[in-house]
Amino acid sequence: MIVAATMADLRAKSVAALQNADRIELLGYYAANDRGGGEFVWNGTDSRPDDGGGVIKPTAVFGNGRLNRLVGGMSDPYLHSSWYGIKADNSTDNSTQLQALINASVSLGINAVYIDPCPTSSINFNTQITLAPNIVIRGAKKDVSILKFTNASNTVFAFSIFMPNGPDAGLKAPQFFDLTLNCRSGIQINNPAGGFTDDATSQQALTSAFIQRCGIYSTNPNTAGTIGIQMSKITEGIVQDCEITGFGIHIDFEGSENCRIRDNRMVGAVSEFVLANSHGTFGNGLIVDSNFMAAIVNGGNAYLVSSYRSIAVTNNWVEGAGNYTAVWWLQQAQSAVAVIRDNFVSMQPATVTNAFKVDDTTDGNGGGVGTGYILIDYCNNQGANFPGAAGIGNFNGNTGLSYYTGGGAVRRKVMHSGNYAGFGDIGFPFNSRSSSLDGQNLTPNVVAYFSPNDDGLNFNGLGITVKCRNGAFQLTSTGSNNYLDFSNTDKPTPTGTLKLYVLAASASGGTIRAAVTDAGSVVGSFAGQVLTAKPAWYLMNNSGAAVATSGGCRVYADTNDIQLYAAVLSQ
């Protein structure tokens, strides 16, 4: 039996002694019991390079002959960071040793590394670590195994893989578990841009990118251009049970599918907590569920999705401070199905321009590339502490429209049911429980939707006679100076006639009326509807009057104390 106190001592052993030993024991890498020790065997035919921890070339060897560390097995199937001389002293640059650890894991066929516990310091490194497919990097626990990337660039990721298509197609992506990473930009799992389509023959090279139970913290917080996690063209990208703070963008999915962001705590983003862009028309399957998001810097969004299809945003809690452009923004929506439900938004003392925003830039271009259906199920959300008159829906260029048909064959349906906001709050449709347009069975689609809470509405003649009461406008008197005038502004103009619905209430049983307009002039009228105290939908066309697609409508009070929540034109 040969015993070496340190790695330097082990390398200095004679070849003859190593060849004749039944057992070779290393007590520690730099000192006994520093976790760098282990058991080795002599392999006289091995000619592999010295990898710093698993394959060791003694100083006296000039040809074949290496010391092979005994590793693997069900009890501990990892290469340990301490085995490769990686120091957790919060000062040493361990870049070379960390890269050697990753490379050795691949060359030895183990594909799993373990970051040993260092709860009172950190493992520092200054050079980006290049990852390999299939590798698993695991720590003992978040805030126990701590890595710190000291590179001063905001755009250089601490860990990165840029994997091409072709012979590597179908390989598993790197995975991270149970560790802390302090950095300016964190983990990048990417494929090359270009030549990537929906076609099954050109699927991305990497699958199953998991990042779970990790803490990823910015060392240069509130700085634009920094990214916590970026995954591009990944099948099954999962970020779960992580804490992420201080980046420009916390999680960036580009052109990926079947991605899940669940049970994370995200604090202090500059632009977006979640950014999901597509490459071309690709981007399918995104779930954002049960996350806590707080303190975005001015002008950002809790989540922004561009050209994705099949999106579910559920059970999230979003709160201030910061001025949000939109809490949920579905951008360039084409053939999408989006479910945005059971979320809670508390923005005090910040303000929100739009709680929910959809912007389809292809609409009105003769169909463009957007064909099919967009179905947005926006249900059972709650908003509180909105201090300003923010818009509930901003569609296609800040027009205040929440329902409209699109160019070509595109049809849209937006369902709002059971959404709620407290007294004086703005931000979710109708601000009244169980006030759902869906019960009217509007077919084939809604052309234009207006609520007094929307930005961009044309309140002709309302003036000082209107005040906001719990998200509704109160029509306090009759006459020509007390009405809401709007017209069909959808592109292109639908065919046939339209139906007019209003969502209104009156504690005194007041009557609401409407008129058909053309270029601002009244050309026909509807019979009045006596209102109930609880908000309800009323079909104003029951008397037989119709709204021409080239015309518009005027809604006004016949008696006092009318609360008007919304008006809808349906084809």
Side-chain angles (χ1 to χ4, degrees):
M1 176 179 176
I2 290 181
V3 176
T6 65
M7 180 61 74
D9 184 21
L10 181 64
R11 283 197 170 96
K13 297 295 183 181
S14 70
V15 175
L18 295 173
Q19 287 175 332
N20 295 325
D22 293 324
R23 180 180 174 188
I24 304 168
E25 187 74 20
L26 174 65
L27 300 183
Y29 202 95
Y30 298 105
N33 300 318
D34 66 359
R35 295 197 184 97
E39 189 172 358
F40 289 79
V41 295
W42 174 256
N43 184 343
T45 63
D46 193 347
S47 60
R48 291 175 295 174
D50 188 321
D51 68 6
V55 178
I56 302 299
K57 176 182 175 296
T59 305
V61 171
F62 294 95
N64 294 347
R66 302 290 187 268
L67 290 167
N68 296 167
R69 184 188 290 267
L70 298 180
V71 298
M74 294 297 294
S75 62
D76 188 9
Y78 294 93
L79 289 186
H80 287 241
S81 59
S82 298
W83 296 353
Y84 284 75
I86 294 171
K87 293 182 178 181
D89 59 6
N90 207 29
S91 61
T92 300
D93 180 7
N94 293 280
S95 301
T96 300
Q97 291 89 340
L98 273 171
Q99 189 65 66
L101 173 65
I102 300 294
N103 296 345
S105 177
V106 175
S107 64
L108 295 174
I110 295 174
N111 289 85
V113 303
Y114 183 80
I115 306 300
D116 286 309
C118 47
T120 60
S121 59
S122 63
I123 296 172
N124 289 11
F125 61 106
N126 186 259
T127 302
Q128 181 183 86
I129 303 302
T130 301
L131 298 169
N134 300 310
I135 196 164
V136 174
I137 301 176
R138 185 182 295 275
K141 189 178 180 181
K142 180 173 71 70
D143 298 327
V144 174
S145 295
I146 303 173
L147 297 164
K148 184 177 181 180
F149 186 47
T150 58
N151 193 292
S153 172
N154 291 324
T155 57
V156 175
F157 286 85
F159 293 92
S160 180
I161 182 172
F162 197 73
M163 201 69 197
N165 291 325
D168 299 313
L171 292 178
K172 286 189 176 181
Q175 301 181 6
F176 289 80
F177 302 94
D178 303 305
L179 53 79
T180 287
L181 173 61
N182 299 307
C183 56
R184 295 200 174 199
S185 284
I187 300 171
Q188 182 185 51
I189 302 175
N190 274 9
N191 284 327
F196 187 69
T197 68
D198 291 344
D199 192 297
T201 61
S202 60
Q203 293 299 304
Q204 63 269 33
L206 298 173
T207 66
S208 304
F210 285 47
I211 301 176
Q212 294 181 286
R213 300 182 302 275
C214 291
I216 303 176
Y217 307 115
S218 173
T219 56
N220 190 22
N222 299 332
T223 301
T226 59
I227 300 175
I229 298 170
Q230 184 182 80
M231 297 185 186
S232 176
K233 299 179 183 175
I234 301 299
T235 293
E236 193 179 19
I238 296 175
V239 181
Q240 184 167 308
D241 294 320
C242 293
E243 184 169 2
I244 308 171
T245 66
F247 296 95
I249 299 171
H250 281 193
I251 301 174
D252 180 9
F253 280 125
E254 297 186 9
S256 298
E257 65 175 353
N258 192 20
C259 296
R260 284 157 279 174
I261 301 170
R262 281 179 167 159
D263 302 313
N264 301 287
R265 176 181 172 85
M266 294 181 273
V267 178
V270 177
S271 53
E272 280 87 29
F273 289 117
V274 178
L275 173 64
N277 291 327
S278 74
H279 285 285
T281 61
F282 194 87
N284 290 326
L286 176 64
I287 297 174
V288 184
D289 179 70
S290 301
N291 300 282
F292 175 83
M293 308 176 189
I296 202 163
V297 179
N298 291 350
N301 310 279
Y303 104 119
L304 187 152
V305 175
S306 179
S307 300
Y308 255 69
R309 299 178 296 224
S310 300
I311 303 149
V313 180
T314 56
N315 305 304
N316 299 284
W317 183 295
V318 184
E319 66 179 39
N323 298 317
Y324 287 63
T325 301
V327 179
W328 315 116
W329 187 359
L330 180 60
Q331 189 180 74
Q332 296 181 346
Q334 302 171 21
S335 302
V337 176
V339 176
I340 302 176
R341 61 186 308 157
D342 303 318
N343 301 285
F344 186 86
V345 180
S346 177
M347 298 312 300
Q348 194 176 14
T351 59
V352 180
T353 305
N354 301 279
F356 174 48
K357 180 174 180 178
V358 170
D359 180 13
D360 184 359
T361 58
T362 68
D363 194 37
N365 295 327
V369 297
T371 59
Y373 280 82
I374 293 180
L375 172 64
I376 301 171
D377 185 356
Y378 187 64
C379 303
N380 302 321
N381 300 284
Q382 295 191 39
N385 302 323
F386 287 79
I392 53 174
N394 179 353
F395 284 73
N396 202 24
N398 199 27
T399 63
L401 296 175
S402 291
Y403 288 93
Y404 64 106
T405 56
V410 179
R411 298 186 183 276
R412 291 159 179 80
K413 169 115 174 144
V414 184
M415 297 183 289
H416 304 281
S417 63
N419 298 295
Y420 176 76
F423 180 80
D425 297 339
I426 307 297
F428 290 108
F430 314 146
N431 295 312
S432 177
R433 282 195 185 276
S434 301
S435 295
S436 174
L437 186 63
D438 300 325
Q440 300 296 330
N441 295 318
L442 303 170
T443 56
N445 55 272
V446 174
V447 173
Y449 157 64
F450 295 95
S451 165
N453 300 324
D454 283 345
D455 292 336
L457 286 181
N458 182 20
F459 294 113
N460 292 333
L462 286 176
I464 61 173
T465 63
V466 173
K467 61 182 179 180
C468 187
R469 174 183 289 180
N470 193 25
F473 275 89
Q474 184 181 14
L475 307 183
T476 57
S477 63
T478 61
S480 59
N481 291 325
N482 191 31
Y483 60 84
L484 166 64
D485 222 6
F486 67 94
S487 61
N488 168 33
T489 58
D490 186 62
K491 305 186 293 290
T493 301
T495 59
T497 58
L498 307 176
K499 295 179 181 179
L500 172 64
Y501 296 86
V502 295
L503 176 64
S506 174
S508 60
T511 303
I512 195 167
R513 293 186 179 275
V516 181
T517 62
D518 187 4
S521 299
V522 176
V523 294
S525 61
F526 301 130
Q529 296 276 7
V530 179
L531 307 182
T532 61
K534 181 180 179 180
W537 284 101
Y538 297 88
L539 175 59
M540 305 304 294
N541 302 63
N542 285 338
S543 63
V547 182
T549 55
S550 60
C553 289
R554 175 174 298 175
V555 179
Y556 60 94
D558 193 65
T559 55
N560 293 339
D561 192 31
I562 304 296
Q563 296 181 45
L564 176 63
Y565 290 85
V568 173
L569 284 174
S570 173
Q571 185 175 2

PDB file of all heavy atoms in Angstrom, residues 486-507:
ATOM      1  N   PHE A 486     -68.619  55.545 -30.520  1.00  0.00           N
ATOM      2  CA  PHE A 486     -67.516  54.790 -31.104  1.00  0.00           C
ATOM      3  C   PHE A 486     -67.985  54.160 -32.406  1.00  0.00           C
ATOM      4  O   PHE A 486     -69.173  54.006 -32.670  1.00  0.00           O
ATOM      5  CB  PHE A 486     -66.979  53.736 -30.141  1.00  0.00           C
ATOM      6  CG  PHE A 486     -67.928  52.613 -29.829  1.00  0.00           C
ATOM      7  CD1 PHE A 486     -67.899  51.436 -30.541  1.00  0.00           C
ATOM      8  CD2 PHE A 486     -68.850  52.740 -28.795  1.00  0.00           C
ATOM      9  CE1 PHE A 486     -68.756  50.394 -30.239  1.00  0.00           C
ATOM     10  CE2 PHE A 486     -69.713  51.703 -28.487  1.00  0.00           C
ATOM     11  CZ  PHE A 486     -69.671  50.525 -29.203  1.00  0.00           C
ATOM     12  N   SER A 487     -67.013  53.782 -33.227  1.00  0.00           N
ATOM     13  CA  SER A 487     -67.322  53.186 -34.530  1.00  0.00           C
ATOM     14  C   SER A 487     -66.492  51.932 -34.712  1.00  0.00           C
ATOM     15  O   SER A 487     -65.555  51.665 -33.970  1.00  0.00           O
ATOM     16  CB  SER A 487     -67.027  54.173 -35.659  1.00  0.00           C
ATOM     17  OG  SER A 487     -65.658  54.511 -35.660  1.00  0.00           O
ATOM     18  N   ASN A 488     -66.865  51.150 -35.726  1.00  0.00           N
ATOM     19  CA  ASN A 488     -66.114  49.952 -36.047  1.00  0.00           C
ATOM     20  C   ASN A 488     -64.813  50.366 -36.729  1.00  0.00           C
ATOM     21  O   ASN A 488     -64.809  50.876 -37.836  1.00  0.00           O
ATOM     22  CB  ASN A 488     -66.937  49.053 -36.971  1.00  0.00           C
ATOM     23  CG  ASN A 488     -66.079  47.950 -37.554  1.00  0.00           C
ATOM     24  OD1 ASN A 488     -65.170  47.475 -36.895  1.00  0.00           O
ATOM     25  ND2 ASN A 488     -66.355  47.572 -38.779  1.00  0.00           N
ATOM     26  N   THR A 489     -63.693  50.142 -36.041  1.00  0.00           N
ATOM     27  CA  THR A 489     -62.387  50.522 -36.594  1.00  0.00           C
ATOM     28  C   THR A 489     -61.526  49.317 -36.946  1.00  0.00           C
ATOM     29  O   THR A 489     -60.338  49.449 -37.187  1.00  0.00           O
ATOM     30  CB  THR A 489     -61.617  51.389 -35.576  1.00  0.00           C
ATOM     31  OG1 THR A 489     -61.483  50.643 -34.367  1.00  0.00           O
ATOM     32  CG2 THR A 489     -62.363  52.684 -35.299  1.00  0.00           C
ATOM     33  N   ASP A 490     -62.146  48.142 -36.943  1.00  0.00           N
ATOM     34  CA  ASP A 490     -61.363  46.957 -37.240  1.00  0.00           C
ATOM     35  C   ASP A 490     -60.899  46.938 -38.683  1.00  0.00           C
ATOM     36  O   ASP A 490     -61.529  47.505 -39.564  1.00  0.00           O
ATOM     37  CB  ASP A 490     -62.210  45.708 -36.952  1.00  0.00           C
ATOM     38  CG  ASP A 490     -61.366  44.465 -37.125  1.00  0.00           C
ATOM     39  OD1 ASP A 490     -60.398  44.320 -36.397  1.00  0.00           O
ATOM     40  OD2 ASP A 490     -61.693  43.663 -38.010  1.00  0.00           O
ATOM     41  N   LYS A 491     -59.792  46.265 -38.932  1.00  0.00           N
ATOM     42  CA  LYS A 491     -59.243  46.143 -40.281  1.00  0.00           C
ATOM     43  C   LYS A 491     -59.180  44.676 -40.669  1.00  0.00           C
ATOM     44  O   LYS A 491     -58.579  43.879 -39.922  1.00  0.00           O
ATOM     45  CB  LYS A 491     -57.836  46.739 -40.338  1.00  0.00           C
ATOM     46  CG  LYS A 491     -57.760  48.166 -39.874  1.00  0.00           C
ATOM     47  CD  LYS A 491     -56.385  48.755 -40.092  1.00  0.00           C
ATOM     48  CE  LYS A 491     -55.361  48.091 -39.214  1.00  0.00           C
ATOM     49  NZ  LYS A 491     -55.501  48.399 -37.807  1.00  0.00           N
ATOM     50  N   PRO A 492     -59.707  44.236 -41.791  1.00  0.00           N
ATOM     51  CA  PRO A 492     -60.577  44.976 -42.698  1.00  0.00           C
ATOM     52  C   PRO A 492     -62.021  45.010 -42.186  1.00  0.00           C
ATOM     53  O   PRO A 492     -62.350  44.319 -41.240  1.00  0.00           O
ATOM     54  CB  PRO A 492     -60.480  44.163 -44.000  1.00  0.00           C
ATOM     55  CG  PRO A 492     -60.288  42.757 -43.497  1.00  0.00           C
ATOM     56  CD  PRO A 492     -59.434  42.867 -42.264  1.00  0.00           C
ATOM     57  N   THR A 493     -62.859  45.776 -42.834  1.00  0.00           N
ATOM     58  CA  THR A 493     -64.260  45.901 -42.420  1.00  0.00           C
ATOM     59  C   THR A 493     -64.982  44.571 -42.610  1.00  0.00           C
ATOM     60  O   THR A 493     -64.923  43.972 -43.679  1.00  0.00           O
ATOM     61  CB  THR A 493     -64.962  46.988 -43.248  1.00  0.00           C
ATOM     62  OG1 THR A 493     -64.267  48.222 -43.036  1.00  0.00           O
ATOM     63  CG2 THR A 493     -66.414  47.141 -42.811  1.00  0.00           C
ATOM     64  N   PRO A 494     -65.660  44.066 -41.583  1.00  0.00           N
ATOM     65  CA  PRO A 494     -66.405  42.814 -41.730  1.00  0.00           C
ATOM     66  C   PRO A 494     -67.625  43.010 -42.627  1.00  0.00           C
ATOM     67  O   PRO A 494     -68.022  44.134 -42.955  1.00  0.00           O
ATOM     68  CB  PRO A 494     -66.810  42.468 -40.300  1.00  0.00           C
ATOM     69  CG  PRO A 494     -66.826  43.791 -39.594  1.00  0.00           C
ATOM     70  CD  PRO A 494     -65.770  44.619 -40.227  1.00  0.00           C
ATOM     71  N   THR A 495     -68.244  41.910 -43.013  1.00  0.00           N
ATOM     72  CA  THR A 495     -69.430  41.976 -43.869  1.00  0.00           C
ATOM     73  C   THR A 495     -70.687  41.784 -43.041  1.00  0.00           C
ATOM     74  O   THR A 495     -70.648  41.237 -41.934  1.00  0.00           O
ATOM     75  CB  THR A 495     -69.365  40.883 -44.942  1.00  0.00           C
ATOM     76  OG1 THR A 495     -69.288  39.597 -44.292  1.00  0.00           O
ATOM     77  CG2 THR A 495     -68.141  41.061 -45.823  1.00  0.00           C
ATOM     78  N   GLY A 496     -71.825  42.228 -43.577  1.00  0.00           N
ATOM     79  CA  GLY A 496     -73.095  42.028 -42.888  1.00  0.00           C
ATOM     80  C   GLY A 496     -73.356  43.085 -41.838  1.00  0.00           C
ATOM     81  O   GLY A 496     -72.775  44.161 -41.830  1.00  0.00           O
ATOM     82  N   THR A 497     -74.280  42.773 -40.934  1.00  0.00           N
ATOM     83  CA  THR A 497     -74.651  43.699 -39.871  1.00  0.00           C
ATOM     84  C   THR A 497     -74.073  43.224 -38.546  1.00  0.00           C
ATOM     85  O   THR A 497     -73.638  42.081 -38.396  1.00  0.00           O
ATOM     86  CB  THR A 497     -76.176  43.807 -39.757  1.00  0.00           C
ATOM     87  OG1 THR A 497     -76.714  42.499 -39.506  1.00  0.00           O
ATOM     88  CG2 THR A 497     -76.772  44.370 -41.047  1.00  0.00           C
ATOM     89  N   LEU A 498     -74.094  44.130 -37.578  1.00  0.00           N
ATOM     90  CA  LEU A 498     -73.477  43.866 -36.293  1.00  0.00           C
ATOM     91  C   LEU A 498     -74.514  43.934 -35.172  1.00  0.00           C
ATOM     92  O   LEU A 498     -75.532  44.624 -35.285  1.00  0.00           O
ATOM     93  CB  LEU A 498     -72.376  44.893 -36.003  1.00  0.00           C
ATOM     94  CG  LEU A 498     -71.298  45.054 -37.086  1.00  0.00           C
ATOM     95  CD1 LEU A 498     -70.345  46.171 -36.717  1.00  0.00           C
ATOM     96  CD2 LEU A 498     -70.549  43.752 -37.281  1.00  0.00           C
ATOM     97  N   LYS A 499     -74.230  43.229 -34.079  1.00  0.00           N
ATOM     98  CA  LYS A 499     -75.034  43.316 -32.879  1.00  0.00           C
ATOM     99  C   LYS A 499     -74.312  44.192 -31.861  1.00  0.00           C
ATOM    100  O   LYS A 499     -73.090  44.201 -31.787  1.00  0.00           O
ATOM    101  CB  LYS A 499     -75.268  41.925 -32.280  1.00  0.00           C
ATOM    102  CG  LYS A 499     -76.084  40.996 -33.164  1.00  0.00           C
ATOM    103  CD  LYS A 499     -76.234  39.633 -32.494  1.00  0.00           C
ATOM    104  CE  LYS A 499     -77.034  38.679 -33.384  1.00  0.00           C
ATOM    105  NZ  LYS A 499     -77.169  37.335 -32.762  1.00  0.00           N
ATOM    106  N   LEU A 500     -75.116  44.896 -31.057  1.00  0.00           N
ATOM    107  CA  LEU A 500     -74.554  45.757 -30.035  1.00  0.00           C
ATOM    108  C   LEU A 500     -74.936  45.232 -28.658  1.00  0.00           C
ATOM    109  O   LEU A 500     -76.107  45.026 -28.361  1.00  0.00           O
ATOM    110  CB  LEU A 500     -75.057  47.195 -30.188  1.00  0.00           C
ATOM    111  CG  LEU A 500     -74.685  48.148 -29.047  1.00  0.00           C
ATOM    112  CD1 LEU A 500     -73.182  48.328 -28.964  1.00  0.00           C
ATOM    113  CD2 LEU A 500     -75.378  49.493 -29.226  1.00  0.00           C
ATOM    114  N   TYR A 501     -73.912  44.992 -27.804  1.00  0.00           N
ATOM    115  CA  TYR A 501     -74.121  44.587 -26.428  1.00  0.00           C
ATOM    116  C   TYR A 501     -73.539  45.653 -25.513  1.00  0.00           C
ATOM    117  O   TYR A 501     -72.520  46.289 -25.841  1.00  0.00           O
ATOM    118  CB  TYR A 501     -73.403  43.267 -26.129  1.00  0.00           C
ATOM    119  CG  TYR A 501     -73.911  42.082 -26.902  1.00  0.00           C
ATOM    120  CD1 TYR A 501     -73.431  41.796 -28.175  1.00  0.00           C
ATOM    121  CD2 TYR A 501     -74.843  41.210 -26.347  1.00  0.00           C
ATOM    122  CE1 TYR A 501     -73.870  40.691 -28.887  1.00  0.00           C
ATOM    123  CE2 TYR A 501     -75.289  40.097 -27.048  1.00  0.00           C
ATOM    124  CZ  TYR A 501     -74.803  39.847 -28.316  1.00  0.00           C
ATOM    125  OH  TYR A 501     -75.240  38.747 -29.012  1.00  0.00           O
ATOM    126  N   VAL A 502     -74.155  45.836 -24.351  1.00  0.00           N
ATOM    127  CA  VAL A 502     -73.571  46.699 -23.332  1.00  0.00           C
ATOM    128  C   VAL A 502     -73.559  45.952 -22.010  1.00  0.00           C
ATOM    129  O   VAL A 502     -74.441  45.131 -21.727  1.00  0.00           O
ATOM    130  CB  VAL A 502     -74.344  48.030 -23.177  1.00  0.00           C
ATOM    131  CG1 VAL A 502     -74.235  48.860 -24.430  1.00  0.00           C
ATOM    132  CG2 VAL A 502     -75.788  47.791 -22.789  1.00  0.00           C
ATOM    133  N   LEU A 503     -72.524  46.190 -21.232  1.00  0.00           N
ATOM    134  CA  LEU A 503     -72.441  45.675 -19.867  1.00  0.00           C
ATOM    135  C   LEU A 503     -72.666  46.868 -18.948  1.00  0.00           C
ATOM    136  O   LEU A 503     -71.849  47.797 -18.910  1.00  0.00           O
ATOM    137  CB  LEU A 503     -71.080  45.047 -19.606  1.00  0.00           C
ATOM    138  CG  LEU A 503     -70.817  44.554 -18.180  1.00  0.00           C
ATOM    139  CD1 LEU A 503     -71.767  43.410 -17.833  1.00  0.00           C
ATOM    140  CD2 LEU A 503     -69.370  44.097 -18.027  1.00  0.00           C
ATOM    141  N   ALA A 504     -73.770  46.879 -18.223  1.00  0.00           N
ATOM    142  CA  ALA A 504     -74.139  48.052 -17.449  1.00  0.00           C
ATOM    143  C   ALA A 504     -74.941  47.650 -16.221  1.00  0.00           C
ATOM    144  O   ALA A 504     -75.406  46.508 -16.093  1.00  0.00           O
ATOM    145  CB  ALA A 504     -74.935  49.032 -18.313  1.00  0.00           C
ATOM    146  N   ALA A 505     -75.117  48.609 -15.311  1.00  0.00           N
ATOM    147  CA  ALA A 505     -75.904  48.390 -14.104  1.00  0.00           C
ATOM    148  C   ALA A 505     -76.470  49.720 -13.638  1.00  0.00           C
ATOM    149  O   ALA A 505     -75.953  50.792 -13.982  1.00  0.00           O
ATOM    150  CB  ALA A 505     -75.040  47.765 -13.005  1.00  0.00           C
ATOM    151  N   SER A 506     -77.548  49.646 -12.832  1.00  0.00           N
ATOM    152  CA  SER A 506     -78.141  50.849 -12.254  1.00  0.00           C
ATOM    153  C   SER A 506     -78.820  50.489 -10.938  1.00  0.00           C
ATOM    154  O   SER A 506     -79.736  49.665 -10.912  1.00  0.00           O
ATOM    155  CB  SER A 506     -79.160  51.482 -13.199  1.00  0.00           C
ATOM    156  OG  SER A 506     -79.812  52.565 -12.568  1.00  0.00           O
ATOM    157  N   ALA A 507     -78.357  51.090  -9.861  1.00  0.00           N
ATOM    158  CA  ALA A 507     -78.945  50.806  -8.554  1.00  0.00           C
ATOM    159  C   ALA A 507     -80.383  51.293  -8.463  1.00  0.00           C
ATOM    160  O   ALA A 507     -81.195  50.750  -7.702  1.00  0.00           O
ATOM    161  CB  ALA A 507     -78.102  51.449  -7.457  1.00  0.00           C
TER     162      ALA A 507
END
